[in-house]
Amino acid sequence: MKCIDKNILLDYLNDVLSSRKKKHIASHLSECGHCRRELEKWKKILDITQEFVDQDVKLNPVPPHAHITQRFSKLPQNDESSFWVRYWVKPAIATASLIFIALMVFFFAPKTVPELTENYYVIDNVTYTETISLEDRYLDNLETLYLQEIYENEELTYDILYGDWQNYEEVLNDLDHDELEELINKMYDNEIT
Amino acid sequence: MDSIRLNQLIEENYQKIFLLALKMLKNYEDAEDATQDIFLKVYENIKSFRKEAKFTTWIYRIALNHIYYMNNKRNKEISRFPEAHEMRTEMNANPSSVLHEKELFVSLENVINLLSPRQKEVFVMRYYNQLPFKKIAQILGKSLGTVKSNYFFAMQKIKNDLQNQNLLEFQE
Ligand SMILES: [Zn+2]
């Protein structure tokens, strides 16, 4: 039975995995001493790091300056919405959005990969575009690539470093420790800081 | 959003943004200045902001923009007056050096400073600001996978460094 990758163990400790994956890992841990020790190692590092951070936070208490809070408290309250907005427009919008959501669920639910959605922010008169990426569950369907390809293709290495490395999760899971070490070293070499 | 709720949000986020600025800029005074400037920007732009649900995301974006802006500005100054900078760094020595586990904490501080800016911002938002990965991804406009990999490589560096300095003993 193959061992669990280090970064997956880290995800496991951070509780960011699906329940299916968590179950799989828990059952592997129950029968593999090597992975249990590896998990203990990460846990210890996370604990030490958290302890360090907590101390650091305690040492640097910075309450908001009075001139900042005063400004914010002087901001005018929002006007109460008018009769028509409250009793007609809002319920109408609510109904319309419910219908819209229902339609979306109907059309897009069966196993299609959703379109990327974009949000816009305006800060200092500059518009920022944010792309909400695919959720983890859609990543399972994406094709996996072979190690050789990852080694040889700089773009892929870049992708793993800065992009959706989880696409290659299955490949990473199959690596033994030496191979993984080699891959990580290669990534470090390519890293732009 | 009413002003009481708004004040609450400011209180909640002020300290967190300060810590983010402190870790990214590595200087107490600069971090204080940056945090004040960031919240003044938030104040000036509050009317253009609409949805409460994304308020923290919005604040963090303003914060990171400002922090990077300040850092670039400062780097230019440092290259012109390197001596002045060294004196200032000396005076703002890290207060965590008084801690009982001195060695360990100083070492962790050093490792954090060795992280790339991307890794550092993810690390600080995760540990100091206690934000979930999904929120961090939203703030940075990156995918969840990217953020997780930044975090993983940051932790890998921390782990290696602690092990190299023999600050962690494991039985293999
Ligand atoms: Zn195992």
Side-chain angles (χ1 to χ4, degrees):
Chain A
M1 197 179 208
K2 63 188 173 191
C3 280
I4 295 153
D5 186 79
K6 287 187 228 177
N7 50 42
I8 308 292
L9 283 177
L10 199 53
D11 279 351
Y12 181 73
L13 283 171
N14 278 302
D15 197 19
V16 288
L17 295 173
S18 65
S19 49
R20 187 175 59 85
K21 277 184 189 158
K22 272 195 281 189
K23 258 185 220 162
H24 169 77
I25 289 167
S27 82
H28 179 82
L29 286 170
S30 68
E31 53 198 53
C32 176
H34 170 77
C35 284
R36 274 200 302 273
R37 278 191 297 280
E38 198 62 30
L39 186 80
E40 271 309 302
K41 232 186 242 189
W42 272 128
K43 200 172 163 330
K44 196 165 178 186
I45 287 154
L46 296 194
D47 287 348
I48 288 173
T49 309
Q50 190 61 59
E51 197 185 323
F52 160 73
V53 167
D54 292 344
Q55 292 275 12
D56 202 7
V57 171
K58 250 187 247 164
L59 284 170
N60 293 302
V62 178
H65 284 250
H67 75 270
I68 306 263
T69 41
Q70 270 162 24
R71 254 176 225 237
F72 280 96
S73 55
K74 275 181 200 151
L75 277 176
Q77 298 258 351
N78 278 358
D79 296 333
E80 264 298 300
S81 6
S82 71
F83 173 82
W84 282 105
V85 173
R86 225 183 316 161
Y87 294 105
W88 195 83
V89 180
K90 278 188 182 171
I93 290 170
T95 315
S97 29
L98 273 180
I99 293 167
F100 180 73
I101 289 164
L103 282 172
M104 286 295 113
V105 168
F106 178 77
F107 282 117
F108 291 105
K111 281 192 181 171
T112 52
V113 172
E115 289 285 309
L116 293 177
T117 53
E118 286 187 330
N119 282 7
Y120 298 95
Y121 291 88
V122 181
I123 299 167
D124 295 342
N125 298 321
V126 181
T127 307
Y128 293 86
T129 311
E130 167 180 285
T131 308
I132 309 282
S133 64
L134 299 175
E135 286 178 37
D136 284 38
R137 62 199 159 104
Y138 296 109
L139 294 178
D140 292 342
N141 300 332
L142 295 170
E143 60 175 329
T144 52
L145 290 132
Y146 293 107
L147 180 63
Q148 202 52 39
E149 281 184 73
I150 298 174
Y151 278 160
E152 281 166 9
N153 190 330
E154 275 189 17
E155 249 174 56
L156 278 180
T157 313
Y158 188 89
D159 228 357
I160 293 178
L161 199 53
Y162 293 105
D164 286 317
W165 61 281
Q166 287 213 325
N167 297 2
Y168 313 110
E169 193 180 301
E170 284 178 36
V171 178
L172 295 175
N173 269 338
D174 283 327
L175 304 182
D176 64 38
H177 275 85
D178 292 342
E179 286 173 322
L180 188 71
E181 214 68 65
E182 201 185 329
L183 184 62
I184 287 171
N185 286 339
K186 186 168 159 68
M187 287 175 186
Y188 274 126
D189 291 342
N190 285 352
E191 192 171 346
I192 311 144
T193 35
Chain B
M1 194 185 318
D2 62 76
S3 59
I4 297 162
R5 174 84 187 105
L6 189 60
N7 253 325
Q8 233 175 353
L9 281 167
I10 303 306
E11 293 266 346
E12 278 166 23
N13 286 293
Y14 201 90
Q15 171 79 14
K16 292 180 173 181
I17 296 294
F18 169 75
L19 286 166
L20 182 64
L22 182 62
K23 293 300 147 192
M24 300 297 286
L25 296 169
K26 289 181 273 176
N27 177 289
Y28 198 93
E29 275 173 34
D30 287 352
E32 270 198 318
D33 290 348
T35 314
Q36 286 190 46
D37 291 347
I38 287 160
F39 278 87
L40 289 176
K41 262 188 195 167
V42 169
Y43 171 77
E44 280 156 19
N45 291 283
I46 197 82
K47 284 190 186 94
S48 69
F49 176 77
R50 291 280 172 259
K51 285 177 231 155
E52 185 174 354
K54 293 210 168 161
F55 191 69
T56 40
T57 311
W58 184 65
I59 289 187
Y60 273 91
R61 278 164 175 256
I62 294 180
L64 284 172
N65 277 336
H66 190 76
I67 288 166
Y68 280 116
Y69 164 77
M70 258 190 91
N71 197 39
N72 288 344
K73 204 174 83 172
R74 201 180 53 178
N75 285 347
K76 275 179 204 150
E77 277 169 26
I78 291 168
S79 58
R80 262 188 295 165
F81 312 105
E83 303 86 359
H85 173 71
E86 253 158 53
M87 256 172 58
R88 217 167 49 141
T89 325
E90 205 58 34
M91 280 157 61
N92 287 285
N94 177 8
S96 67
S97 55
V98 297
L99 288 165
H100 60 289
E101 281 173 328
K102 196 172 153 190
E103 220 180 336
L104 177 67
F105 286 106
V106 169
S107 156
L108 265 170
E109 180 78 31
N110 291 342
V111 189
I112 291 176
N113 286 336
L114 288 178
L115 301 177
S116 74
R118 242 310 86 97
Q119 290 168 344
K120 203 195 280 184
E121 66 190 6
V122 170
F123 179 86
V124 173
M125 283 193 271
R126 176 69 187 169
Y127 272 97
Y128 284 84
N129 303 339
Q130 310 269 319
L131 295 175
F133 287 116
K134 275 191 180 152
K135 186 95 190 164
I136 298 172
Q138 266 175 22
I139 290 165
L140 298 176
K142 303 280 174 199
S143 74
L144 189 61
T146 307
V147 168
K148 278 192 198 168
S149 81
N150 287 327
Y151 173 79
F152 174 70
F153 285 107
M155 292 315 291
Q156 190 76 27
K157 270 191 191 172
I158 289 171
K159 184 181 173 212
N160 288 345
D161 200 76
L162 292 179
Q163 275 174 327
N164 287 345
Q165 298 187 49
N166 294 320
L167 289 164
L168 291 170
E169 304 107 42
F170 294 114
Q171 67 278 50
E172 286 293 336

